[in-house]
Amino acid sequence: MIGANVSVFSIGKAVGRGGGAGPFSLSYVVVAGGGSGASYSLAGGGAGGFRNSLLEVQTDTAYQVTVGAGGALPQSGTDVGGSGSNSTVSSIVSIGGGGGSNYNSPQAGGNGGSGGGAISGGLGTGTIGYGTSGQGNNGGSGNSSSPNYGAGAGGGAGAVGGNGGSDNGGHGGIGRNVTLSPFSALGYLAGGGGGGAFQGGYGGNGGSGGGGYSARRQYNQSAAAGTANTGGGGGGGSYYGGFSNGAAGGSGIIILVYPDSVTPTFTSGVTSSTTTSGGYKKTTITAAGPTDTVTFG
């Protein structure tokens, strides 16, 4: 699949200093919250920013950990989709996904980790949301051909959002699948939300990695939210009957792999789970607020 990058990281054991564990490298995946579609939005939300690499960590030092929320639907039918919130580990910051643009508002798709899609009909500007280099991709463009005004989809971590056609919305950009050795593949993360179509057109699918599909009149379905703890973008609305509303973005996630000779201690706001394999631990963090931390000892 185009853009379905697979990366494998190996990490070093902790080096003892003064009888205790010293600095060590851990591998990480940090995904921010995905952007939402909006009421009468049509365009899909962009995926949350995706980062993965190695990070040197000191023992007995508290590091910030924050899992970003997905973008919420705005209250007004003339607003663009809501942006997702950032996720953080120490100095590593993944940027929340941009919201989809709106048929009833002269605003562009939102910028973010990945950008929200654009709508060219109505008052929409036709300007895509832009992704952040190294974290995601741009949203797709809209099609101004009436009557259905196909909207662009949200960008994903692995590919740009699909462009809208004259009778269909674009498909969400695919996410990425990463293997953190020695553990098995994590599954796709950070897919873009599908773009909708103005009246009777066909809605777009969400990108692999938790992207929500748009409102799909052909299946009698309302728009789907981005999947929780994937950073997926929310699907766009259709502006047709009962399927006009877009959907919220999915919350982010943090995954850490490190030597089993060290043990993490989290503050009370963190929700996590840990498994062990081949001399390493993998900790998956599904919730953490802006004041939460992890300390390795």
Side-chain angles (χ1 to χ4, degrees):
M1 291 184 178
I2 297 174
N5 307 59
V6 178
S7 302
V8 178
F9 293 98
S10 299
I11 56 180
K13 290 286 188 178
V15 179
R17 287 184 180 176
F24 62 95
S25 292
L26 61 76
S27 54
Y28 63 82
V29 170
V30 180
V31 182
S36 80
S39 298
Y40 305 103
S41 147
L42 299 173
F50 179 105
R51 297 186 67 181
N52 67 310
S53 189
L54 301 176
L55 176 68
E56 183 172 276
V57 173
Q58 301 285 338
T59 55
D60 302 319
T61 300
Y63 295 95
Q64 181 185 9
V65 288
T66 304
V67 174
L73 293 178
Q75 297 299 310
S76 170
T78 61
D79 291 339
V80 297
S83 295
S85 298
N86 297 348
S87 291
T88 302
V89 173
S90 183
S91 61
I92 307 302
V93 179
S94 292
I95 299 171
S101 66
N102 192 296
Y103 179 86
N104 283 333
S105 178
Q107 299 182 59
N111 301 328
S114 283
I119 173 66
S120 299
L123 298 178
T125 64
T127 304
I128 63 173
Y130 294 98
T132 300
S133 178
Q135 298 195 25
N137 289 280
N138 298 341
S141 61
N143 188 298
S144 59
S145 299
S146 63
N148 292 323
Y149 301 119
V160 298
N163 297 330
S166 60
D167 195 49
N168 63 280
H171 299 310
I174 193 172
R176 288 185 59 193
N177 188 16
V178 173
T179 299
L180 300 181
S181 180
F183 296 89
S184 59
L186 305 176
Y188 282 89
L189 298 171
F198 179 62
Q199 295 186 89
Y202 294 89
N205 296 323
S208 297
Y213 54 76
S214 74
R216 302 191 292 187
R217 174 178 172 272
Q218 68 271 32
Y219 300 124
N220 203 38
Q221 292 175 326
S222 299
T227 303
N229 298 128
T230 67
S238 70
Y239 206 103
Y240 184 93
F243 308 112
S244 58
N245 291 344
S251 55
I253 193 168
I254 294 169
I255 303 168
L256 307 175
V257 173
Y258 49 92
D260 64 5
S261 57
V262 295
T263 299
T265 300
F266 295 100
T267 50
S268 61
V270 176
T271 300
S272 66
S273 61
T274 299
T275 60
T276 303
S277 177
Y280 295 92
K281 293 177 181 177
K282 179 182 72 173
T283 294
T284 301
I285 303 170
T286 54
T291 62
D292 285 313
T293 62
V294 59
T295 302
F296 293 92

